[in-house]
Amino acid sequence: MADTTIGEQELALLRHIADSGGSSVAEAVEAFGSSRGLARSTVLTMMERLRKKGHLSRRQVDGIYRYATRTAPGDAVQHALASFVDRTLGGSVTPFVTFLSEAHQVSDEELAELEELVARLQDRRRSS
């Protein structure tokens, strides 16, 4: 698994498969790909990439491959964020937090979540 990064479209497909409890390629094309204008071959390629990256498993049932999630979509997002921070931000989250504070509206609910996360980080630092 050389490249385990996951793109936006792959993440959406992973979420779809997780939400549906598993899927064949045909089912994924009908329920996910059609509304996005994706050909069967594109959906198949995405599913196989996700499988090779370790996010999906597949098994043959009645002659048809059924794909199921091996990792939760949230775990894939965490991994993607960790890769982004490491590769793009040199391991520092400060530029990302600065971006959020300057460029985006953060709801009261999101701000409360962020404050809770900072408090947990501070507690962890104090106890180590």
Side-chain angles (χ1 to χ4, degrees):
M1 288 192 307
D3 180 19
T4 57
T5 58
I6 186 167
E8 186 177 322
Q9 191 90 285
E10 288 176 325
L11 181 58
L13 178 57
L14 185 63
R15 282 188 176 127
H16 167 75
I17 294 169
D19 291 346
S20 65
S23 180
S24 68
V25 174
E27 292 166 346
V29 169
E30 184 177 325
F32 175 83
S34 293
S35 63
R36 291 169 171 79
L38 301 175
R40 181 188 186 287
S41 60
T42 302
V43 174
L44 172 60
T45 298
M46 290 170 57
M47 291 172 83
E48 278 301 301
R49 282 186 185 157
L50 286 167
R51 187 176 70 84
K52 289 176 183 166
K53 291 176 182 183
H55 298 295
L56 292 179
S57 63
R58 79 172 185 198
R59 63 185 171 86
Q60 202 167 32
V61 178
D62 298 326
I64 297 171
Y65 282 118
R66 300 225 27 106
Y67 292 78
T69 55
R70 291 184 65 201
T71 58
D75 292 342
V77 170
Q78 287 282 16
H79 182 7
L81 284 172
S83 294
F84 174 76
V85 168
D86 286 343
R87 291 181 183 166
T88 307
L89 303 180
S92 174
V93 296
T94 302
F96 182 68
V97 174
T98 302
F99 169 76
L100 285 176
S101 70
E102 294 175 355
H104 285 282
Q105 290 288 353
V106 176
S107 70
D108 291 341
E109 188 177 283
E110 289 171 318
L111 184 57
E113 279 184 64
L114 290 169
E115 288 171 341
E116 184 180 318
L117 290 170
V118 169
R120 275 195 267 163
L121 285 170
Q122 289 171 333
D123 287 345
R124 210 177 319 154
R125 178 164 288 176
R126 281 187 211 117
S127 63
S128 59

